[in-house]
């Protein structure tokens, strides 16, 4: 009996500044909904994995135990919380997949959630900086935007000013996000707005402008995963052609900060293991926490040589109607980036595409979808390639 795990159901809240008071309430919104979508009961769930970054967003830790407060029938089901910076959601998903594929159980529930807007913005910046190397990078102005602002400066110094191309990425993702019902920002700003410094689009951490930065968001997403045999008896199944993780050293001072070597390795392993090339993919959901990240990720995945990511966006390759659509959901840039929920959300967005249920976001006849989710400045790197099997 094959133990390859499949996605069999999901749920997703809107992302944004939500009325939900905490992660407990956010998780309760998706836990039951995901099980209902998968056609299973709480008694069928063998494990629960939870992705919450927290690190000061809430005084309440031990988030794995909070799921049962919204789903009392899960009170005795093994549950554990995962944390891996901005890749926390993918870490929780991969933990559930490992549980299933090891033969320990048949069905697992994965929940990613974050409540980020309940504290002052200044505190948010300090919390996010815990995902960098504190001994060297804790004093960076602008929080994590400051970290990526430095990366953009380094990139521009080496390869030339690509501010206009970052604005093209922002405009693309906002246009895509305008039709995503889950997105925090559902507005098409256009290239000129994204490329112009103004009161509404100031520098946040030069050269990055507000439109280059993902937003502080609340939200939750959930997935139900099951082994292949169980999945065959359920309504839908999305298999992983491959799933890979590669890390890089945490301090930026000890590596080429704009090489994204960990991301490059994760993509290389995914392509080798699956036997697929980028031309085989129908879409990619990639981790555009900042527009400079998406541009460097083009290079890491192999769409362009180092320093030439700008050509990809200028030539329209990653537009929704391009050769390889990237972030048809609007990405983190428009959809929002509630840290623990992001990796789970990205896999839900890919699943909707493969089930032909993405409505106005839909890429026609999508058969293979890739997800790239990273933690920190390309430190923890996850690549999944999904296909529909039922």
């Amino acid at each position: 009996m094959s133990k390859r795990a499949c996605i069999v159901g999901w749920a997703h809240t809107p992302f944004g500044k939500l009325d939900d008071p905490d992660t407990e309430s956010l998780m309760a919104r998706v836990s039951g909904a995901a099980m209902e979508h998968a056609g299973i009961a709480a008694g069928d769930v063998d494990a629960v994995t939870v992705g919450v970054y927290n690190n000061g967003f809430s005084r309440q830790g031990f988030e794995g135990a909070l799921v049962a407060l919204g789903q009392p029938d899960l009170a005795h089901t093994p549950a554990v919380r995962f944390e891996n910076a901005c890749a926390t959601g993918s870490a929780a998903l991969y933990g559930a997949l490992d549980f299933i594929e090891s033969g320990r159980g048949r069905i697992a529930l994965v929940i990613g959630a974050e409540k980020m807007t309940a504290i002052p913005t200044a505190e948010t910046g300090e919390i996010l900086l815990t995902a960098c190397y504190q001994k060297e990078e804790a004093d960076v102005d602008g929080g994590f935007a400051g970290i990526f602002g430095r990366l953009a400066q380094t990139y521009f110094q080496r390869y030339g000013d690509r501010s206009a191309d970052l604005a093209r990425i922002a405009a693309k993702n906002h246009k895509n996000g305008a039709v995503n019902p889950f997105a925090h920002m559902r507005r098409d700003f256009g290239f000129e707005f994204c490329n112009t410094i103004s009161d509404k689009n100031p520098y946040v951490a030069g050269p990055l402008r507000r439109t280059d930065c993902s937003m502080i968001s609340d939200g939750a997403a959930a997935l139900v995963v099951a082994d292949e045999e169980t999945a065959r008896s359920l309504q839908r199944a999305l298999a992983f052609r491959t799933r890979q993780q590669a890390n890089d050293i945490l301090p930026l001072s000890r590596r080429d900060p704009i090489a994204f070597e960990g991301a490059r390795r994760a993509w290389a392993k995914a392509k080798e293991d699956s036997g697929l090339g980028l031309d085989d993919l129908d879409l990619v959901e990639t981790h555009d926490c900042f527009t400079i990240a998406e541009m460097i990720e083009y290079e890491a995945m192999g769409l362009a040589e180092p320093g030439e990511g700008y050509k990809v966006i200028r030539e329209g390759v990653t537009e929704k109607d391009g050769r390889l659509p990237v972030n048809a959901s609007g990405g983190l840039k428009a959809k929002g980036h509630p840290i623990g929920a992001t990796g789970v959300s990205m896999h839900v967005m890919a699943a909707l595409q493969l089930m032909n249920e993405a409505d106005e976001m839909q890429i026609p006849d999508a058969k293979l979808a890739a997800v790239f989710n990273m933690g920190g400045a390309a430190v923890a790197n996850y690549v999944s390639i999904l296909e529909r099997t039922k």
Side-chain angles (χ1 to χ4, degrees):
M1 180 178 69
S2 171
K3 289 295 182 186
R4 187 169 74 145
C6 300
I7 294 171
V8 295
W10 53 82
H12 202 296
T13 71
F15 284 1
K17 187 175 175 61
L18 305 182
D19 292 335
D20 303 73
D22 48 33
T23 51
E24 177 187 332
S25 58
L26 286 166
M27 290 192 291
R29 286 180 64 178
V30 294
S31 54
M35 291 188 291
E36 182 177 357
H37 188 244
I40 63 163
D44 299 318
V45 177
D46 298 308
V48 179
T49 61
V50 172
V52 178
Y53 181 65
N54 197 342
N55 280 349
F57 286 121
S58 168
R59 294 184 64 185
Q60 175 67 61
F62 202 12
E63 291 88 353
L66 297 178
V67 179
L69 300 180
Q71 294 292 328
D73 288 344
L74 293 174
H76 303 294
T77 305
V80 63
R81 174 219 175 181
F82 287 74
E83 184 278 310
N84 215 7
C86 313
T88 287
S90 289
L93 171 59
Y94 280 33
L97 297 171
D98 290 344
F99 177 88
I100 299 300
E101 292 175 358
S102 71
R104 293 179 61 199
R106 298 181 307 114
I107 297 175
L109 172 65
V110 183
I111 302 174
E114 210 75 62
K115 178 70 181 182
M116 300 177 71
T117 67
I119 63 170
T121 302
E123 289 183 36
T124 300
E126 293 178 8
I127 290 168
L128 294 176
L129 276 174
T130 59
C132 73
Y133 188 54
Q134 289 279 310
K135 290 181 180 179
E136 296 178 2
E137 300 159 13
D139 62 344
V140 172
D141 290 335
F144 225 67
I147 296 287
F148 276 84
R150 285 188 178 183
L151 297 185
Q153 289 172 5
T154 302
Y155 190 94
F156 289 3
Q157 287 165 3
R158 189 178 302 176
Y159 298 121
D161 188 332
R162 301 299 180 207
S163 296
D165 301 296
L166 297 188
R168 290 184 178 94
I169 290 172
K172 168 182 70 73
N173 291 349
H174 277 297
K175 181 179 180 180
N176 291 347
V179 297
N180 183 348
F182 302 109
H184 186 158
M185 184 61 70
R186 298 185 62 189
R187 184 176 173 187
D188 182 357
F189 287 101
F191 168 72
E192 289 301 330
F193 179 85
C194 295
N195 196 43
T196 304
I197 300 301
S198 65
D199 290 343
K200 293 185 177 180
N201 190 30
Y203 282 117
V204 174
L208 300 180
R209 302 143 295 194
R210 183 175 290 165
T211 49
D212 291 308
C213 308
S214 58
M215 291 168 288
I216 297 167
S217 309
D218 308 325
L223 292 161
V224 177
V225 296
D227 65 55
E228 272 187 313
E229 183 180 49
T230 302
R232 280 195 287 270
S233 69
L234 298 173
Q235 300 166 43
R236 67 189 65 78
L238 299 156
F240 289 77
R241 277 286 283 269
T242 187
R243 57 183 182 95
Q244 303 292 333
Q245 180 187 357
N247 268 47
D248 208 342
I249 195 76
L250 179 59
L252 290 166
S253 65
R254 302 188 199 177
R255 55 184 161 112
D256 181 344
I258 59 171
F260 280 27
E261 180 60 26
R264 189 178 302 277
R265 287 171 180 259
W267 269 105
K269 288 165 65 177
K271 288 186 281 189
E272 180 182 5
D273 183 59
S274 65
L276 298 169
L278 295 180
D279 289 341
D280 297 310
L281 302 177
D282 296 298
L283 66 125
V284 174
E285 286 288 318
T286 203
H287 193 103
D288 60 322
C289 49
F290 301 92
T291 53
I292 186 64
E294 179 166 329
M295 181 176 286
I296 299 174
E297 286 158 19
Y298 294 161
E299 299 166 13
M301 72 174 75
L303 272 179
E305 293 299 313
E308 296 185 354
Y310 72 94
K311 295 181 179 179
V312 173
I313 189 67
R314 285 190 192 180
E315 295 168 5
V317 173
T318 55
E319 296 283 353
K320 194 172 174 182
D321 59 354
R323 179 163 54 86
L324 181 59
V326 173
N327 289 334
S329 68
L332 285 56
K333 177 78 268 294
K335 179 159 58 76
H337 184 22
I339 307 297
T342 288
V344 181
S345 168
M346 296 173 84
H347 285 82
V348 172
M349 293 299 112
L352 287 170
Q353 292 281 356
L354 295 175
M355 292 299 297
N356 198 34
E357 295 173 2
D359 297 327
E360 291 185 75
M361 296 183 286
Q362 187 66 48
I363 303 300
D365 200 31
K367 297 288 193 298
L368 288 164
V371 172
F372 172 74
N373 181 206
M374 74 181 183
V379 177
N381 304 276
Y382 293 79
V383 175
S384 304
I385 299 179
L386 295 167
E387 63 181 343
R388 179 179 178 177
T389 54
K390 183 178 180 182

